[in-house]
Amino acid sequence: MNETNRSDYWRANVRLVLILLVIWFAVSFGFGILLVEPLNAIQIGGYKLGFWFAQQGSIYTFLVLIFVYAARMNTLDKKFNVQED
Amino acid sequence: MDLQTLTYLVVGSTFALYIGIAIWSRAKSTGEFYVAGKGVHPVLNGMATGADWMSAASFISMAGMIAFGGYGASVFLMGWTGGYVLLALLLAPYLRKFGKFTVPEFIGDRYYSQSARIVAVVCLILASVTYVIGQMTGIGVAFGRFLGISYEAGIMAGMGIVAVYAILGGMKGITYTQIAQYVVLIFAYTVPAVFISLNLTGNPLPQLGLGGTHLESGMSLLDKLDLVVKDLGFAEYTTQVAGSSLNMFVYTMSLMIGTAGLPHVIIRFFTVPKVKDARFSAGWALVFIALLYTVAPAVGAMARLNLMETVQVGEVGTVEGNLAYEERPEWFKRWEVTGLLKFEDKNGDGRIQYYNDKNAEFAAKAEGWGWKGNEMVTVNNDIMVLANPEIAGLPNWVIALVVAGGLAAALSTAAGLLLAISSSISHDLLKGVFMPQITEKNELMAGRIAMVGAILLAGYLGMNPPGFAAGTVALAFGLAASSIFPALMLGIFVKRMNNTGAVLGMIAGISVTMLYVFQHKGILFIKGTEFLGDLPANWFFGITPEAFGAIGAVVNFAVAFMVAKVTAPPPEHIQQLVEDVRVPKGAGTASDH
């Protein structure tokens, strides 16, 4: 693999990580802590929305983030031909 | 069959299972001893990681902390799961690609410096030893309370079991027993939760039950709980904060970064065959962890509601509203014996008044009813999970199962920590620094001897817990967050980072964190040496000492960048090493150690 390819692969990886970390931050620190009061005005079933994000929703989102990362990176590995043999 | 016999039977058969696995999975090489020969299936590794991570604290204490902390306890739920996102995206795949055996080994190679490796070993041992003490005391308590043997004998029994499979099998034995322990602990945790959720809400899924309707009152469960606690002067369950929003923010961040930086969790990702597996395995680990962590909030809220309604049987302020002490249920009596639940009839009326006497407004009103202070003087966090099956009236085999589950959680975490400690001694210190020429056979023997030493040390500290045992858990997370995580992340993402920057960064991060903890909790936690006092007024922006690791990490990053900017860049072959770690290709060859 040549140098440009290598840096393109790395740049795509960092970009993906940044996007996922923005979501990671938003659901936990954003919805679960900083915006918890306004969100608590919204009710989902028996849950206040902010409380739900803090004790349930953020955990489910974390799960999705890791699997999306793993799947996207596999595609990226193949696209740049850097996957393991 | 009585409870004690049944408990012996259930705990005994799980122990027989662990020993059987140990004999089947003996380690024959250092590769098997340190990283299970890198042949663990990613889903199974996820399961083992779940057991490795979920300790006596997660299993026994967390639901109780949620029960009394309400929304404020969300810091533990988000902090201890969100760390896996950082681990999966920023560390695990790259460290697996690097393909070595220990965390200090990466730091030593990447920063081309033995002193960096030794600093990392010191951080690792400090963090892991403090953790292991907590597991050992958990084992002693569980044995002592349910199996009727002494605390010391309980710890010795636990040490004996761990010794068999950790010495024989190393990482390989630990991995396969952790998988069995995960199954035991998750079953033990969810069965009572399902029954309690069914009882209260009619919904068998605790995650939905928590947001469901409270059958008895027809209100939503959380609204009912808010009402019940507020009626007795406590803070509203769904909105009570831990300190302040800022403190919760920093605390959550510290737990997340600390989780991602704990060596015994990181080394689990060295055991899978490929980089691709390391990515997925982190996801599976979180699946198995989330099974417990999404149930815990339901267990906490429902246990709190059950507890309040047991004591406050009728309208607040009426005489009949309070349970007569003579009519207290059986489980109440059983837990009074242990001292974890304590009643004191302050106004001598023979009835139990359980309310928040720190709330001045409510306490004044309560005085009008002849209440003379909160009479439930001790309600220990830990009884919430342990007494749950009894409170819900579940059969004895469920109680026995919960005991086996608590022991599985403590044993699996202890084993993972002991391996992290012994491998850093035999591989990083002995082979890496003092005897580079040691043969593989002798290193394997040294690993086993180090394991014996680590087990004896842990057992000794478990039996004679230093006065600061509880406080040091905060320090373990603080150390991991402020030293190990930044050094690893910078090593992968910043090619320009050199050894001076990384080492000074680690030292600055640890120093700031320790200084802050010590100035509020006492130097080495010795009472009387805390020069600022553990008072909220003296906290930096109201941040509790437990929550300070994230600040330490920021200091680490800042110092590392500034120092690296004014010192020479790392040599060419190190920059090449960083390039190699960043792409999966070639992981197979890299793993031939």
Side-chain angles (χ1 to χ4, degrees), chain B residues 348-362:
Chain B
D349 68 346
R351 288 176 182 275
I352 305 170
Q353 281 96 39
Y354 180 31
Y355 67 105
N356 184 9
D357 54 9
K358 307 263 180 334
N359 176 341
E361 196 187 330
F362 187 80

Side-chain angles (χ1 to χ4, degrees), chain B residues 480-562:
Chain B
S482 63
S483 63
I484 299 173
F485 179 83
L488 292 176
M489 193 189 152
L490 290 171
I492 296 159
F493 283 82
V494 184
K495 215 173 11 174
R496 177 67 175 72
M497 187 49 61
N498 59 16
N499 58 354
T500 334
V503 171
L504 290 180
M506 276 199 277
I507 293 172
I510 298 181
S511 309
V512 167
T513 309
M514 296 230 276
L515 185 70
Y516 192 76
V517 174
F518 287 166
Q519 75 186 9
H520 295 295
K521 298 272 186 194
I523 294 162
L524 294 171
F525 300 95
I526 298 160
K527 280 276 162 255
T529 58
E530 60 272 36
F531 40 96
L532 282 185
D534 198 11
L535 298 167
N538 290 336
W539 291 339
F540 178 71
F541 286 113
I543 296 168
T544 55
E546 290 80 7
F548 209 70
I551 311 285
V554 172
V555 170
N556 183 334
F557 280 120
V559 169
F561 273 114
M562 280 188 292

Side-chain angles (χ1 to χ4, degrees), chain B residues 79-327:
Chain B
W80 286 337
T81 54
Y84 279 84
V85 177
L86 299 178
L87 192 58
L89 273 54
L90 303 176
L91 302 182
Y94 311 105
L95 295 178
R96 171 61 194 85
K97 169 64 200 297
F98 181 65
K100 297 290 178 67
F101 290 158
T102 68
V103 171
E105 195 173 12
F106 175 80
I107 292 181
D109 284 8
R110 166 62 181 84
Y111 296 117
Y112 44 102
S113 144
Q114 291 286 36
S115 41
R117 192 170 183 176
I118 294 170
V119 170
V121 169
V122 171
C123 295
L124 182 152
I125 291 179
L126 277 176
S128 304
V129 168
T130 48
Y131 242 83
V132 128
I133 299 173
Q135 307 313 313
M136 286 294 160
T137 50
I139 292 169
V141 169
F143 267 109
R145 196 167 308 145
F146 292 97
L147 299 175
I149 57 177
S150 77
Y151 177 82
E152 283 78 14
I155 288 185
M156 275 190 246
M159 279 165 60
I161 289 292
V162 174
V164 170
Y165 64 79
I167 295 170
L168 274 183
M171 186 56 126
K172 195 176 164 200
I174 289 171
T175 302
Y176 291 105
T177 33
Q178 279 176 337
I179 293 165
Q181 285 159 338
Y182 177 79
V183 176
V184 172
L185 82 87
I186 200 68
F187 190 63
Y189 201 82
T190 38
V191 165
V194 165
F195 279 109
I196 292 167
S197 179
L198 265 176
N199 269 348
L200 285 176
T201 66
N203 196 321
L205 283 180
Q207 292 92 335
L208 298 179
L210 181 59
T213 311
H214 181 229
L215 291 177
E216 209 181 285
S217 64
M219 298 166 69
S220 98
L221 183 90
L222 286 167
D223 286 348
K224 172 70 184 172
L225 180 56
D226 277 344
L227 199 70
V228 168
V229 292
K230 270 198 297 188
D231 270 353
L232 290 163
F234 294 101
E236 187 177 68
Y237 187 84
T238 54
T239 53
Q240 71 183 103
V241 290
S244 62
S245 280
L246 176 70
N247 183 56
M248 284 183 69
F249 187 99
V250 180
Y251 203 166
T252 306
M253 190 61 96
S254 298
L255 294 177
M256 285 187 183
I257 301 177
T259 301
L262 283 176
H264 73 285
V265 177
I266 297 175
I267 54 173
R268 286 241 45 97
F269 295 94
F270 296 173
T271 66
V272 294
K274 290 179 168 188
V275 173
K276 191 171 92 178
D277 300 327
R279 292 176 189 143
F280 274 116
S281 198
W284 283 108
L286 190 54
V287 167
F288 294 119
I289 292 167
L291 275 177
L292 190 144
Y293 273 60
T294 54
V295 168
V299 173
M302 290 172 188
R304 178 84 182 272
L305 185 61
N306 272 336
L307 177 73
M308 304 298 294
E309 297 211 304
T310 302
V311 177
Q312 190 70 46
V313 290
E315 203 178 319
V316 177
T318 61
V319 176
E320 293 77 28
N322 295 97
L323 182 74
Y325 182 63
E326 284 313 312
E327 288 165 23

